[in-house]
Amino acid sequence: MKKGLLIILSGPSGVGKGTVRQELFKDQSLNLAYSISMTTRKPRPTEQEGVDYFFVSETEFLNKIENDELLEYAKFVGNYYGTPRFYVEQLLNEGKNVVLEIEVQGALQVMRKCPQALTIFLVPPSFEELERRIRGRRTEAEDVVKERLDKARKEIATKDEYKYVVENDDVLAAKEQISRIIRENA
Ligand code: 5GP
């Protein structure tokens, strides 16, 4: 069976990676599977264990690193985030196109390990719009918002490392553009 495509969907916090991903997953013909990440961040009110993330303690996370169970990981604004290796490999072997929705440090690690990965970077229409989206979420304290914005500037500066850069001005237009990219590469 043909192995699936490893797809990295990256971009700054607040750019709308999650929303675009949800639209992509409505299209069954893309044959997508989502890699559920592990994090030490506390769940937001709407988030579910094993759906949005696997929520773990820092000790558990450090154990996973130690045992080489993560394909990549990064510390992002005070919390660890990482991709469990096992499911990604299993899903790729089943022929699924596996989506990793991850931040930049992790994306760069996967690029080095898997140069064949399809790498897509989502950018906001403007930095002001990104700030509006992050503040609109209203789930973070001001110092965390500031840190995420600061981080976002540095993340956007790495966009040329990716094979494709897609602007997320309109969610459905971004989804269509990414669908086309996946079809061309699958
Ligand atoms: P949030 O706290 O907003 O859910 O996520 C913060 C950032 O971490 C986002 O850019 C998100 O895409 C990224 N992220 C989520 N899961 C992973 C992961 O497994 N690895 C890495 N490197 N980043 C992740």
Side-chain angles (χ1 to χ4, degrees):
M1 184 198 276
K2 189 168 170 255
K3 254 188 125 176
L5 189 65
L6 182 60
I7 303 166
I8 301 177
L9 183 60
S10 194
S13 166
V15 74
K17 299 191 285 292
T19 318
V20 171
R21 188 242 306 166
Q22 278 167 15
E23 287 301 324
L24 284 168
F25 272 75
K26 288 182 187 166
D27 186 345
Q28 307 260 330
S29 71
L30 292 172
N31 192 27
L32 300 177
Y34 180 55
S35 157
I36 301 167
S37 296
M38 197 164 274
T39 184
T40 60
R41 173 169 71 61
K42 296 279 164 287
R44 295 185 182 129
T46 57
E47 287 178 332
Q48 280 176 273
E49 165 70 18
V51 175
D52 299 286
Y53 282 108
F54 295 110
F55 296 97
V56 297
S57 68
E58 191 154 318
T59 312
E60 282 175 273
F61 198 97
L62 295 176
N63 269 329
K64 299 280 176 195
I65 299 175
E66 183 91 343
N67 297 332
D68 197 27
E69 289 178 50
L70 301 178
L71 176 61
E72 60 72 36
Y73 70 92
K75 200 161 194 183
F76 182 92
V77 192
N79 288 298
Y80 283 106
Y81 297 81
T83 304
R85 180 198 299 283
F86 177 77
Y87 296 108
V88 172
E89 285 173 358
Q90 190 178 41
L91 291 164
L92 289 174
N93 286 333
E94 286 170 10
K96 290 278 185 192
N97 298 321
V98 180
V99 177
L100 308 187
E101 189 192 308
I102 61 179
E103 54 71 70
V104 164
Q105 302 165 74
L108 296 175
Q109 290 170 43
V110 182
M111 284 179 206
R112 279 195 296 274
K113 286 187 189 168
C114 316
Q116 78 288 3
L118 175 60
T119 57
I120 303 168
F121 192 84
L122 270 185
V123 288
S126 68
F127 200 80
E128 290 66 36
E129 173 60 18
L130 186 72
E131 176 161 1
R132 202 182 60 73
R133 290 182 196 174
I134 291 181
R135 289 190 186 283
R137 199 149 63 184
R138 291 180 193 281
T139 50
E140 272 113 10
E142 181 61 22
D143 56 335
V144 177
V145 168
K146 283 231 162 65
E147 228 182 312
R148 281 184 182 252
L149 286 169
D150 208 42
K151 188 94 182 172
R153 277 186 206 283
K154 295 185 183 126
E155 292 194 312
I156 293 171
T158 70
K159 68 181 194 311
D160 293 340
E161 302 287 328
Y162 294 76
K163 291 179 183 159
Y164 297 90
V165 176
V166 173
E167 185 178 298
N168 183 20
D169 186 7
D170 173 79
V171 174
L172 291 180
K175 179 252 165 184
E176 274 313 314
Q177 209 179 330
I178 296 174
S179 303
R180 221 175 307 125
I181 293 170
I182 295 173
R183 285 186 217 289
E184 278 166 17
N185 285 272

